[in-house]
Amino acid sequence: MKNKDQFSIRTPEYLESYDPFHNSISLNQIAINIQEQIKVKGDSLRCLDSMAGTGIVGRKMREVFSGIEVVFQDKSPGMLSSDAYQNDECILSDVTAIGVSGELFDIIFCRGGLNNLGEDDYPKALREYLRVLRNDGIIILQDHFAKTEEAKEAINQIEAEVANIEGRSDKTYVPTIEELRGLVVGDGGVFSNEQAFEICLSMKDRFVSKGIDNFDLSKISKILEGQKTIEYEKVEDDIILVYPIFTITFKKVAPIVKKSVYERTNADRAIEFLEDENQNGFFSSYVNIARDAESLQRAPNEVFSSIVITDTLFKNRPDSELASNFQYIEKHAQQGQLTFFEDRNLLPPDTDTNSLGYSVLLENRRVDSAVVNEIFDAILAYMDSNGIVQVWLSKDRPNHLDCVVATNATYFAYLLNRGDEIKRTEDWLIAVLDSGQYLEGSRYYHSPDSFLYFLGRLMKFPRIAEKIQVKLGQHLQKRIGETDYPLDLAMRVILSDSLGIQNDSEKQKLMELQGQDGSWPTDALYREGRKLIFYGNKSIPTAFSIKALNH
């Protein structure tokens, strides 16, 4: 009869005898995050070792950082009554209701505990962590969370069979990292850091350490044979799993109290405008007959605006005010190749959306390297006969060249250390710059400044920077003062700052264009091929302008 739960199985003897709980890489990753917090707040920090078990993590951290104070929390009286805790402050409670007042701790860490919970208890536990954590405090969670939905399904099937073998009645749950992020961010935390390592997990050792000698691994074996995400090896009467362990760190930030109109800076008002326009990562755009015309005709929901805004303003800032942008892009990336519109039936996948979108995810460590390399392989598969990347990743539409699209693909290639594979495209881009062909705009980007701006992003890669830096500066200086569109001004100001070129006059013009609501006027970054159909909004010009004025 099943009358046990995960916590009755989790005895002190089990935790002391089971090797994965003594893993030095595991402890080191937690220590690194604590060290970073000490640099910011000093070493007199009050820490909570949650679901502490035998307290091995808290005690190790106290040995390494002598200035910190550690409080231990667990729901098991058997754990906390052991001799090891004689001189420690302990809290006997469930993690979903810790039972102390709010904002008591600077750091909360939980290793190997959350996966003892059921699915419904995850949001309760994480909400409780945020409640008892001080502002600017951090939460360090370490366990075998799942990287993908497929991995989650396989892991949870295995854990369900483990529960069956152990005679447990409860159902534990392993979420994806994305689920974990969503729960914490939704309650006021922000993602801060992610680390990973692998452990080899012996199923036999796992059961023997819990006093279970008779077990049948055939169902676990069948689950493993039907999936492709978990590595494993069958060894006589044992199965060795290779489980990824993730150390995920979140930070609690104080609620943003909006200032009065007289106290808010221009940047404050601009950010607030974008926050208001943001719909869980999505930004509306409108179909216009001219790039700066205002229209009430909504374009179909498109992913590209969010990608551009994230790349422009929030890349490498995962704790930003608009962290939901990343989650929105990730959601669409889970379907494989990205498409410009949310409705994948409207347009096939394209090089530009995938190059920009997956570059953003890669630079924020939100996607596996294998996935992005597969995306880049698809881009290479649609090169033209001259070895230049094309726009569409499909044979269902006539394909075209676009110098801005090719520039973003080149950035993606260099990011993956695969620049050599796109050499002919790179040579073509330099030829477009030298000839001034870009002055007519590209097929999908009407402004010449778009080409110069996106080409300027390549300056972070020394090999190509040597080839284009001087030329780029010369072409930019010829463009200064040519137009007064907000996007043109912002892109030229950003590029001027990057190249060390004085451009105060356009910076001043840009400042004067900001409206009372914090936004910049409607402008369109891209158009529908050679047609005079522009996709515009205020969100993209506002994001570019914020970057230009705070570059």
Side-chain angles (χ1 to χ4, degrees), residues 137 167 185 202 209 217 273 275 283 377 393 410 425 428:
V185 170
S202 163
S209 66
L217 299 179
F273 172 81
E275 288 175 335
F283 293 86
D377 288 340
L393 305 182
T410 303
T425 298
W428 177 65

Side-chain angles (χ1 to χ4, degrees), residues 1-63:
M1 179 179 178
K2 293 184 179 182
N3 55 13
K4 297 181 286 187
D5 64 15
Q6 178 71 2
F7 290 94
S8 62
I9 293 290
R10 200 167 179 262
T11 62
E13 293 76 21
Y14 158 54
L15 296 183
E16 287 295 342
S17 63
Y18 196 42
D19 284 344
F21 289 106
H22 299 269
N23 188 288
S24 59
I25 300 175
S26 156
L27 295 169
N28 185 55
Q29 288 191 356
I30 293 172
I32 288 171
N33 283 282
I34 292 175
Q35 178 65 53
E36 291 302 310
Q37 188 72 341
I38 288 173
K39 289 179 184 177
V40 175
K41 301 187 71 173
D43 62 356
S44 298
L45 301 178
R46 185 169 168 85
C47 305
L48 178 68
D49 184 354
S50 178
M51 304 176 79
T54 58
I56 183 173
V57 180
R59 271 184 272 281
K60 287 287 185 182
M61 296 307 111
R62 201 164 52 191
E63 288 175 16

Side-chain angles (χ1 to χ4, degrees), residues 23 25-26 29 33 141-143 145 147 177 193-199 243-248 365 368:
N23 188 288
I25 300 175
S26 156
Q29 288 191 356
N33 283 282
L141 308 177
Q142 186 181 90
D143 226 314
F145 306 118
K147 190 69 174 177
I177 294 172
N193 190 25
E194 176 187 319
Q195 298 165 283
F197 62 98
E198 291 181 339
I199 60 170
Y243 259 173
I245 303 296
F246 294 95
T247 307
I248 314 294
R365 295 180 296 177
D368 290 335

Side-chain angles (χ1 to χ4, degrees), residues 114 170 230 343-344 360 373 421 488 506 546:
L114 285 180
D170 63 329
I230 300 172
D343 184 348
R344 300 175 69 85
V360 167
N373 277 288
E421 298 175 59
D488 290 357
E506 292 201 317
I546 293 170

Side-chain angles (χ1 to χ4, degrees), residues 62-111:
R62 201 164 52 191
E63 288 175 16
V64 175
F65 307 109
S66 58
I68 68 172
E69 175 188 357
V70 180
V71 178
F72 299 87
Q73 175 270 325
D74 203 284
K75 70 178 288 184
S76 167
M79 291 286 187
L80 297 183
S81 62
S82 68
D83 291 343
Y85 285 113
Q86 274 189 347
N87 300 314
D88 293 316
E89 181 180 348
C90 298
I91 301 170
L92 178 63
S93 69
D94 192 292
V95 70
T96 62
I98 294 175
V100 296
S101 59
E103 300 187 2
L104 283 181
F105 301 102
D106 302 287
I107 300 174
I108 297 172
F109 42 85
C110 178
R111 184 185 74 155

Side-chain angles (χ1 to χ4, degrees), residues 175-186:
T176 64
I177 294 172
E178 178 55 35
E179 280 182 87
L180 202 63
R181 275 201 195 111
L183 290 171
V184 175
V185 170

Side-chain angles (χ1 to χ4, degrees), residues 274-380:
L274 287 180
E275 288 175 335
D276 291 340
E277 290 293 298
N278 180 28
Q279 303 168 48
N280 294 320
F282 162 73
F283 293 86
S284 298
S285 58
Y286 299 85
V287 178
N288 302 326
I289 58 172
R291 64 177 287 185
D292 57 347
E294 295 208 14
S295 167
L296 296 178
Q297 183 182 345
R298 281 274 300 270
N301 288 4
E302 45 103 340
V303 182
F304 197 71
S305 285
S306 184
I307 290 173
V308 170
I309 290 169
T310 307
D311 176 81
T312 304
L313 198 54
F314 298 106
K315 185 170 64 178
N316 301 321
R317 290 179 57 193
D319 59 342
S320 69
E321 296 87 341
L322 298 178
S324 59
N325 287 24
F326 292 106
Q327 296 156 24
Y328 174 79
I329 299 167
E330 283 175 310
K331 181 180 74 172
H332 290 280
Q334 288 171 1
Q335 301 177 57
Q337 294 177 6
L338 292 165
T339 55
F340 183 89
F341 293 113
E342 285 186 1
D343 184 348
R344 300 175 69 85
N345 295 315
L346 295 177
L347 286 175
D350 66 275
T351 296
D352 206 26
T353 307
N354 282 280
S355 293
L356 272 175
Y358 276 101
S359 290
V360 167
L361 296 179
L362 183 61
E363 287 177 300
N364 284 275
R365 295 180 296 177
R366 287 174 174 260
V367 65
D368 290 335
S369 61
V371 172
V372 286
N373 277 288
E374 284 180 11
I375 296 295
F376 187 67
D377 288 340
I379 291 171
L380 295 183

